Amino acid sequence: MKPMDKPTTERTKKAAKEPVKEPAKEAAQIGSVEIEAFAHNIARLVEEGGKTLAAYLKPREEGKIKSGTADDVAEVVKTVGQVAEYWLSDPQRALELQTSLGRAYLDLWSGAVKRMAGEQAAPVAAPDPKDKRFADPEWSQNQFFDFLKQGYLLTVQWGERLVEDAAGIDEHTRAKAAFYVKQIANAISPSNFVLTNPELLRETLSSNAENLVRGMHMLGEDIKAGQGHLKIRQSDSSQYEVGRNLALTPGKVVFQNDLIQLIQYEATTKEVLKVPLLIVPPWINKFYILDLTPEKSFIKWCVDNGLTVFVVSWVNPDAKLAAKSFEQYMREGVLAAFDAIEAATGEKQVHATGYCVGGTLLAIALAYLAAKNEDRARSATMFATQVDFVHSGDLKVFVDEERIKQLEAHMQEQGYLEASRMANAFNLLRSNDLIWPYVINNYLRGKKPFPFDILYWNSDATRMPAANHSFYLRNCYLDNKLSQGEMEIAGETLDLRKVKVPVYNLATREDHIAPAKSVLEGSKYFGGPVKFVLAGSGHIAGVINPPGKPKYQYWTGKEPSGSDVDHWLASAQEHPGSWWPDWLEWLKGQDAETVPARTIGSGKLKTIEDAPGSYVKVKSWT
């Protein structure tokens, strides 16, 4: 297949090159639409569409991209088909299903007729008050758009009930079907199309389709940036650069190997806690989520409060690291950091902190050390970390034997999982927040998104080496071996009950990646005292909630048990503001001894380069 040919008429070429001029007063109009300007912009839209299609097709024609779309579509069809088979296998069930939908549509039509006759009619379906898609007044005031909205909502409700009431389907298949139905429903929302979204329609007519031209141009840019995949821009990336206005806390790289750079940060207090702090971030993201702008930086706040801070900066792996195993990530990541900190400070123990899968890896490392009777941690802190995966949420829909085999075959071809695959999976968990608003704003309204540091970080994803990722998916999400005492690594069978150090276990209330009930459930598997704390908001904002500008609250309460977060909350105490000071007080409660502030490079390790180092700057996209 060849890229679409460019329009060939002289008029179209001229229109494609020139910006839309102010319309002449005598130009033909329909309402507020300038016919000539509208026609010129449609020509430009076709021109930009050809360029966008070429950007999409070129890497596929060159063999750089092998589409996995067929497998994904087949999985959706197979899963939803099982639900359909359940209903259609029984004529009575099928009739009841059709009747319920037909009755709902008749009620909608009846209400529409009453409104056309000037009568009042209560809506038969209303969106959630938090649903921003239908905020424009026209969705309620204009009968046409109100009818579209209610018809869509009724259909979505019917689709959800189709899955929920499919009693003959196993739980995993039902969860997958519910997820797929949700994604389909989000995609076909009338708010996502120009002709069925009153706000988009007004903007298209008032700008003579200039918004669509800008949007198509941005779509082409984003496909090029994703090397043939759509990399939806969620923030104005031109406004940020790691080391220029992100990750600014002063420090030095003091150790590195194939997998990590270890950063030590410069002290800002005369005395520091004797036991250093080690932070292990997730290897599927970059560490600077904990060191955004100075006022949001958890790392800077720790340094300013008298901690000697070390942070692991994971490499962004390529095919050369395909065989790096989970064991090597533990040895060359966490355990190597322990040894490097001892060489730098003389301290054998650390206050170990892990975030998300970095916390899971840390827990595994601590269980391994416990099996070897090695005491290297004074305390452990887990940020939104799962060690038990029974309640691991929507991410489990991507994990079953068939899907993992497909993924392993894909990774085997190139040695790693592309950053785009993981980024898309996480975005799909909240598609109405992280996908469709940006599709509308960027490609239909033609407006660049605002600068937002967290969303810039969110799009700065990393690749995952094949061996490591396969082990993680199988042993954690698929078989849940860690909490069951069945995980084997480096010749040891791991038992979290042997991890006796005090644990500060932080969950976030609206977490869609590490659900609060999953974190709460995981608390019971540690062998030492566990302080469970629940923060407001989600996986990122609930953690990055600095005391200077706190947006959310947190709760502390009784010892954790079970997985019922509401039950735990019933007797918990709510605190306004950031949980950071509470954690620092807990940390000092484990060991409050202080020493004079340490100078980087004064120990056995010499400096390699300035923070934030070079590993974090390696992009997955060019």
Side-chain angles (χ1 to χ4, degrees):
M1 185 180 293
K2 296 182 179 179
M4 184 182 294
D5 292 330
K6 297 181 179 179
T8 56
T9 66
E10 291 301 319
R11 186 186 188 101
T12 301
K13 289 180 179 179
K14 184 177 180 181
K17 294 179 180 178
E18 296 179 357
V20 176
K21 299 178 181 179
E22 290 294 327
K25 293 182 180 178
E26 65 270 21
Q29 295 185 358
I30 297 179
S32 61
V33 179
E34 293 287 347
I35 300 301
E36 186 173 357
F38 193 89
H40 285 187
N41 283 335
I42 293 300
R44 292 174 63 198
L45 181 62
V46 173
E47 172 79 11
E48 292 293 343
K51 295 177 182 177
T52 299
L53 183 59
Y56 176 81
L57 293 177
K58 184 178 179 181
R60 288 162 174 81
E61 291 175 342
E62 294 175 346
K64 295 179 180 178
I65 293 179
K66 295 182 180 179
S67 176
T69 304
D71 290 338
D72 294 336
V73 172
E75 169 67 16
V76 173
V77 171
K78 176 184 175 182
T79 303
V80 176
Q82 288 180 264
V83 176
E85 183 180 359
Y86 167 80
W87 290 102
L88 296 177
S89 62
D90 185 326
Q92 183 62 32
R93 278 202 301 256
L95 178 62
E96 291 175 358
L97 191 69
Q98 295 169 4
T99 302
S100 66
L101 182 62
R103 187 182 302 113
Y105 284 159
L106 285 174
D107 290 342
L108 173 60
W109 179 252
S110 175
V113 171
K114 287 182 180 180
R115 287 193 64 181
M116 291 174 64
E119 300 179 33
Q120 293 291 326
V124 295
D128 188 297
K130 297 179 181 179
D131 192 340
K132 299 177 182 178
R133 294 176 297 175
F134 305 108
D136 189 279
E138 286 288 308
W139 284 110
S140 298
Q141 297 172 3
N142 184 295
Q143 291 188 39
F144 171 74
F145 292 113
D146 184 49
F147 185 86
L148 277 178
K149 176 190 70 178
Q150 292 192 61
Y152 165 74
L153 293 173
L154 286 174
T155 305
V156 171
Q157 292 171 6
W158 177 79
E160 291 173 345
R161 193 161 63 83
L162 193 74
V163 177
E164 291 172 1
D165 294 347
I169 305 299
D170 67 89
E171 185 178 347
H172 180 63
T173 300
R174 189 186 294 114
K176 288 199 298 182
F179 181 80
Y180 295 145
V181 166
K182 180 181 178 181
Q183 299 311 317
I184 294 168
N186 291 346
I188 65 172
S189 169
S191 60
N192 296 337
F193 305 95
V194 173
L195 296 179
T196 55
N197 183 325
E199 190 175 5
L200 288 176
L201 188 58
R202 286 197 308 267
E203 189 159 351
T204 301
L205 295 177
S206 64
S207 70
N208 300 306
E210 175 73 22
N211 58 312
L212 300 182
V213 179
R214 294 193 306 267
M216 184 62 73
H217 181 75
M218 291 173 65
L219 179 61
E221 289 181 334
D222 289 353
I223 290 177
K224 285 181 181 178
Q227 302 172 0
H229 297 286
L230 176 57
K231 181 179 185 290
I232 300 175
R233 66 183 85 181
Q234 299 171 324
S235 175
D236 185 354
S237 60
S238 65
Q239 300 299 309
Y240 295 108
E241 182 183 349
V242 175
R244 177 173 62 85
N245 55 4
L246 297 174
L248 298 179
T249 305
K252 302 285 185 181
V253 175
V254 295
F255 171 83
Q256 71 179 38
N257 58 27
D258 288 346
L259 291 182
I260 70 167
Q261 286 189 320
L262 185 68
I263 303 170
Q264 180 180 355
Y265 290 92
E266 294 179 6
T268 59
T269 56
K270 291 183 179 181
E271 292 194 337
V272 295
L273 285 185
K274 184 175 185 291
V275 179
L277 175 71
L278 169 64
I279 300 176
V280 183
W283 64 86
I284 62 176
N285 296 113
K286 295 186 177 179
F287 82 88
Y288 67 89
I289 187 60
L290 297 168
D291 191 25
L292 291 168
T293 55
E295 61 272 12
K296 293 181 181 178
S297 173
F298 178 75
I299 291 172
K300 182 180 185 302
W301 184 84
C302 289
V303 171
D304 290 344
N305 280 274
L307 298 175
T308 302
V309 179
F310 291 84
V311 173
V312 169
S313 175
W314 295 101
V315 72
N316 192 350
D318 56 18
K320 296 176 183 177
L321 300 178
K324 285 290 185 181
S325 65
F326 200 90
E327 177 185 337
Q328 287 172 298
Y329 264 67
M330 180 188 75
R331 288 189 181 279
E332 298 175 33
V334 180
L335 302 187
F338 279 138
D339 292 339
I341 291 172
E342 183 177 2
T345 66
E347 295 296 325
K348 190 174 181 64
Q349 287 192 324
V350 301
H351 291 300
T353 297
Y355 191 172
C356 189
V357 295
T360 306
L361 178 61
L362 175 61
I364 289 170
L366 294 177
Y368 172 77
L369 291 171
K372 304 287 285 185
N373 293 315
E374 294 186 36
D375 188 13
R376 303 298 301 274
R378 183 66 187 84
S379 73
T381 299
M382 306 292 175
F383 297 161
T385 292
Q386 298 178 97
V387 296
D388 180 83
F389 291 79
V390 170
H391 305 295
S392 53
D394 283 344
L395 275 175
K396 288 195 76 172
V397 305
F398 299 107
V399 183
D400 53 37
E401 185 62 36
E402 185 176 356
R403 294 289 280 176
I404 289 180
K405 283 183 177 178
Q406 291 174 357
L407 197 62
E408 287 172 336
H410 174 76
M411 291 190 294
Q412 190 66 31
E413 293 180 359
Q414 56 192 12
Y416 59 84
L417 184 67
E418 310 97 311
S420 60
R421 292 287 289 265
M422 284 300 296
N424 290 339
F426 285 125
N427 287 340
L428 281 171
L429 298 181
R430 293 174 53 203
S431 58
N432 273 344
D433 295 320
L434 296 175
I435 295 180
W436 297 112
Y438 296 100
V439 169
I440 294 170
N441 183 76
N442 299 359
Y443 311 134
L444 298 179
R445 300 184 69 192
K447 294 184 177 181
K448 291 184 178 181
F450 292 109
F452 189 15
D453 48 13
I454 290 179
L455 288 177
Y456 173 84
W457 166 85
N458 187 59
S459 67
D460 191 10
T462 59
R463 299 177 286 265
M464 267 137 292
N468 170 279
H469 198 53
S470 176
F471 180 95
Y472 173 66
L473 291 178
R474 286 189 172 280
N475 283 268
C476 293
Y477 275 95
L478 185 62
D479 297 328
N480 194 29
K481 289 186 175 181
L482 178 58
S483 64
Q484 305 309 309
E486 298 172 356
M487 180 180 286
E488 294 184 9
I489 194 164
E492 298 290 343
T493 300
L494 306 185
D495 185 354
L496 284 174
R497 292 173 298 179
K498 293 182 179 179
V499 179
K500 303 294 186 180
V501 298
V503 174
Y504 188 100
N505 203 18
L506 178 81
T508 57
R509 193 170 188 181
E510 299 170 19
D511 202 325
H512 59 289
I513 295 172
K517 66 185 300 184
S518 182
V519 178
L520 177 60
E521 172 74 16
S523 298
K524 71 182 182 183
Y525 294 103
F526 292 102
V530 177
K531 178 175 182 178
F532 179 77
V533 177
L534 183 67
S537 194
H539 192 72
I540 302 300
V543 175
I544 310 305
N545 184 30
K549 294 182 179 179
K551 294 183 179 180
Y552 310 106
Q553 70 282 66
Y554 69 98
W555 292 264
T556 58
K558 62 183 181 180
E559 290 185 7
S561 63
S563 61
D564 190 336
V565 177
D566 291 334
H567 177 73
W568 182 87
L569 271 172
S571 60
Q573 181 180 357
E574 181 177 343
H575 308 272
S578 172
W579 57 267
W580 295 7
D582 179 77
W583 167 77
L584 182 61
E585 182 180 355
W586 175 87
L587 196 73
K588 290 180 178 178
Q590 311 313 313
D591 192 330
E593 184 179 353
T594 60
V595 296
R598 299 175 172 103
T599 302
I600 300 176
S602 61
K604 296 179 181 180
L605 298 182
K606 303 306 176 184
T607 63
I608 298 173
E609 61 178 316
D610 290 339
S614 54
Y615 282 16
V616 73
K617 296 179 181 179
V618 176
K619 296 286 187 181
S620 298
W621 321 80
T622 56

